Amino acid sequence: MPGEPYPIIEVQPRWVLEPEAMGSKDKFWYRQPGANAADWLFKHPQANTGQHWAEKIAAEVAAKLSIFHAVVELAVFQNARGSATESFARDGRALFHGNQVLGGKVLGYNANATFRHSSHTVMNIFLGIERTFTTPEAGRKAKVRMAEYVMLDALIGNTDRHHENWGILRKWTGDHWSGSLAPSFDHASSLGRELRDEKRLQFLTDNRVGSYSEKGHGGIYWSQDEKRGPSPLALVRTAAREQGEFFGPALEKLRTVERGVLSEIVDRVPADWMTPVARQFTLALMCYNLQQLQNLLP
Ligand SMILES: Nc1ncnc2c1ncn2[C@@H]1O[C@H](COP(=O)(O)OP(=O)(O)O)[C@@H](O)[C@H]1O
Ligand SMILES: [Mg+2]
């Protein structure tokens, strides 16, 4: 039934796969016993942030737009709220991160950079993809899929698409690698999750939610000369103009999307998991971004 609160997984200590990780305030893999049970990654949000609900809302938005994404559920572990994501690295497939892809395929790419990494551009990502998926059709498909992830980032204000937050899912078949672009994952740094409610309220009352969005710095660059990454929105504006072959189809997914679809997704977060102000800000942010992205449609 639409409108029902999202379920909450109660993660049991005996499900944890690496017990030494249990004390860490960060994340751990677990598996619920049962036939064909998949591994899941439980993630604690950083203190006083909404990273857990941001992960869930982002995954639901991706689902609504039919953008390939990791499944996320809200979860509780030892009274701590977090999110859990189902592993897509199954059946012999392993995740090969973006920095490994680009390190191997793009001459001079520094796969170890962690900070202000301006070689992590759309064009280098596309080059890495082209050289990995060597038939023209496979290359085109993977580039459109990547463009969809970049468009999703702009819609949800994800500022953390660095080169370890995308990748290729690959499998050794005995004589060659077969693979595809991995589902979109790690959307924790989106939707204004780091803001306190006073700040959210201020942005809302001053009508400055748009300026919050425009001032963000993303993890993907357009030009290697940029000191900091453009906002996810600004990146899509440029990419839509310069790489319309791939970004055009991605943006098409937004043509008929309306505010109501987004508010339904936000409303399903259980009542005490998100304050009314956080809901209002999250929705206002996505509505602003949606409008800006729809303006790019022909
Ligand atoms: N759904 C998933 N399936 C498989 N591997 C995943 C999944 N989600 C995350 N990972 C792996 O775990 C790592 C950490 O997860 P991520 O969500 O990026 O957490 P963090 O916020 O700490 O960066 C990722 O870089 C990736 O290697
Ligand atoms: Mg990550």
Side-chain angles (χ1 to χ4, degrees), residues 43 160 162 164-165 185-186:
K43 290 174 70 175
D160 201 33
H162 57 69
E164 289 183 283
N165 275 341
F185 64 91
D186 194 358

Side-chain angles (χ1 to χ4, degrees), residues 53 156-157 189-196 200 212 281 285:
W53 49 252
I156 62 173
S189 298
S190 62
L191 299 170
R193 87 297 177 198
E194 81 287 7
L195 297 171
R196 303 294 164 92
R200 289 190 178 101
Y212 168 83
F281 181 89
L285 179 64

Side-chain angles (χ1 to χ4, degrees), residues 122-123 126 147 150 222 233-248 251 296:
V122 171
M123 295 319 286
F126 278 4
V150 173
W222 182 258
L233 259 183
L235 183 72
V236 174
R237 288 192 188 106
T238 308
R241 200 172 58 234
E242 305 287 334
Q243 290 289 311
E245 183 187 352
F246 309 107
F247 281 82
L251 285 164
L296 301 173

Side-chain angles (χ1 to χ4, degrees), residues 27 29 41 43 70 85-88 95 97 164-165 185-186:
K27 52 186 177 290
W29 288 95
L41 180 66
K43 290 174 70 175
T85 179
E86 183 180 27
S87 179
F88 45 69
L95 183 60
H97 288 98
E164 289 183 283
N165 275 341
F185 64 91
D186 194 358

Side-chain angles (χ1 to χ4, degrees), residues 40 55-56 59-60 69-73 84-88 183-184:
W40 288 68
E55 287 270 19
K56 178 61 178 167
E60 294 297 320
H69 65 284
V71 171
V72 173
E73 298 294 352
T85 179
E86 183 180 27
S87 179
F88 45 69
S184 186

Side-chain angles (χ1 to χ4, degrees), residues 24-47:
S24 108
K25 261 314 223 179
D26 194 10
K27 52 186 177 290
F28 60 84
W29 288 95
Y30 71 84
R31 189 185 307 140
Q32 184 171 0
N36 298 322
D39 290 359
W40 288 68
L41 180 66
F42 181 93
K43 290 174 70 175
H44 289 279
Q46 273 169 4

Side-chain angles (χ1 to χ4, degrees), residues 197-267:
D197 271 358
E198 306 87 80
K199 199 79 196 157
R200 289 190 178 101
L201 199 55
Q202 211 178 329
F203 279 122
L204 286 163
T205 41
D206 298 351
N207 212 1
R208 286 196 311 115
V209 174
S211 99
Y212 168 83
S213 177
E214 302 286 353
K215 285 191 179 135
H217 295 280
I220 299 180
Y221 290 69
W222 182 258
S223 153
Q224 310 218 21
D225 301 330
E226 286 162 325
K227 285 209 166 55
R228 298 196 67 186
S231 72
L233 259 183
L235 183 72
V236 174
R237 288 192 188 106
T238 308
R241 200 172 58 234
E242 305 287 334
Q243 290 289 311
E245 183 187 352
F246 309 107
F247 281 82
L251 285 164
E252 265 317 311
K253 297 206 149 181
L254 297 177
R255 191 174 287 278
T256 61
V257 177
E258 287 173 0
R259 175 193 173 90
V261 167
L262 301 173
S263 72
E264 229 173 74
I265 290 172
V266 175
D267 285 348

